[in-house]
Amino acid sequence: MPLLPIIKLPDPVLRQVSTPVETYDGDLKRLVANMFETMYEAPGIGLAAIQVNVPKRLLVLDVADEDEGKQPLVLINPKIVDLGSEMKVYEEGCLSLPDVRLDIERPASLTVSYLDLDGKPQELTTGGLLATAIQHEIDHLDGKLIIDFLTRLKRDMIVRRFKKQARVM
Ligand code: NI
């Protein structure tokens, strides 16, 4: 299966709002398989379809440690239906922002409703790293990135750095 190129800042595609998945066919299953392979190879713990230039509300995740074995999770058209009141800070990275790591505060737990690969409705209540990763990836579906948690000044500094890098490569 081919690895998919991951879109990086400052590509404006990352700011696009993704639209719902409506067709559950072989193409979707192939895309998901390729997204998992791309994510594991990177390596990363989450990848949204928009990061591989597919503007659909689809994301793949696996936050398991190496010794736990693989725990792949596919969320299609995910919607957060409940956020816990307790907050937690994780240092987050993003495959679209290489070498950027930011402390981000988000609700520590959540309930998300979504469709699985067969289009069947599912619901998941979780906390810890998975809750953070789900919020991070759903942000991608709305064109939001971790640098949006920064002040404008700091955000612009990072964007400028990526623009400069994009020019020299
Ligand atoms: Ni990301």
Side-chain angles (χ1 to χ4, degrees):
M1 274 178 294
L3 295 177
L4 305 167
I6 297 176
I7 288 180
K8 314 254 160 67
L9 201 70
D11 195 318
V13 164
L14 292 171
R15 293 306 192 174
Q16 234 174 292
V17 176
S18 297
T19 58
V21 173
E22 279 160 1
T23 314
Y24 297 83
D25 56 7
D27 284 348
L28 181 71
K29 292 200 166 88
R30 264 189 298 280
L31 171 63
V32 166
N34 290 341
M35 281 174 63
F36 270 118
E37 196 176 336
T38 302
M39 181 189 80
Y40 285 128
E41 174 70 25
I45 60 168
L47 186 68
I50 191 67
Q51 292 178 278
V52 292
N53 208 12
V54 179
K56 289 286 169 194
R57 302 190 79 81
L58 159 68
L59 44 98
V60 299
L61 298 144
D62 190 339
V63 301
D65 287 331
E66 261 170 62
D67 55 351
E68 291 176 299
K70 286 194 165 83
Q71 291 173 21
L73 181 63
V74 185
L75 304 189
I76 298 172
N77 301 342
K79 261 198 195 88
I80 292 175
V81 292
D82 191 43
L83 285 170
S85 52
E86 198 190 314
M87 303 294 282
K88 186 160 172 96
V89 176
Y90 270 104
E91 192 189 59
E92 297 184 28
C94 180
L95 293 177
S96 295
L97 285 76
D99 302 326
V100 174
R101 304 208 55 95
L102 300 172
D103 283 336
I104 310 250
E105 187 181 51
R106 302 181 188 267
S109 61
L110 57 75
T111 300
V112 63
S113 70
Y114 62 97
L115 302 172
D116 63 21
L117 256 185
D118 300 313
K120 229 175 88 197
Q122 307 283 351
E123 198 172 85
L124 170 71
T125 298
T126 190
L129 182 57
L130 184 56
T132 287
I134 288 172
Q135 291 172 78
H136 174 122
E137 299 309 331
I138 289 179
D139 278 350
H140 275 300
L141 305 183
D142 295 320
K144 193 174 172 187
L145 302 169
I146 50 174
I147 50 171
D148 298 344
F149 285 82
L150 297 172
T151 61
R152 183 168 186 161
L153 186 74
K154 285 185 183 156
R155 183 169 69 237
D156 287 350
M157 268 169 54
I158 292 176
V159 172
R160 264 202 305 278
R161 171 149 58 88
F162 275 92
K163 279 187 178 154
K164 216 167 141 186
Q165 280 168 4
R167 269 207 308 275
V168 295
M169 287 198 303

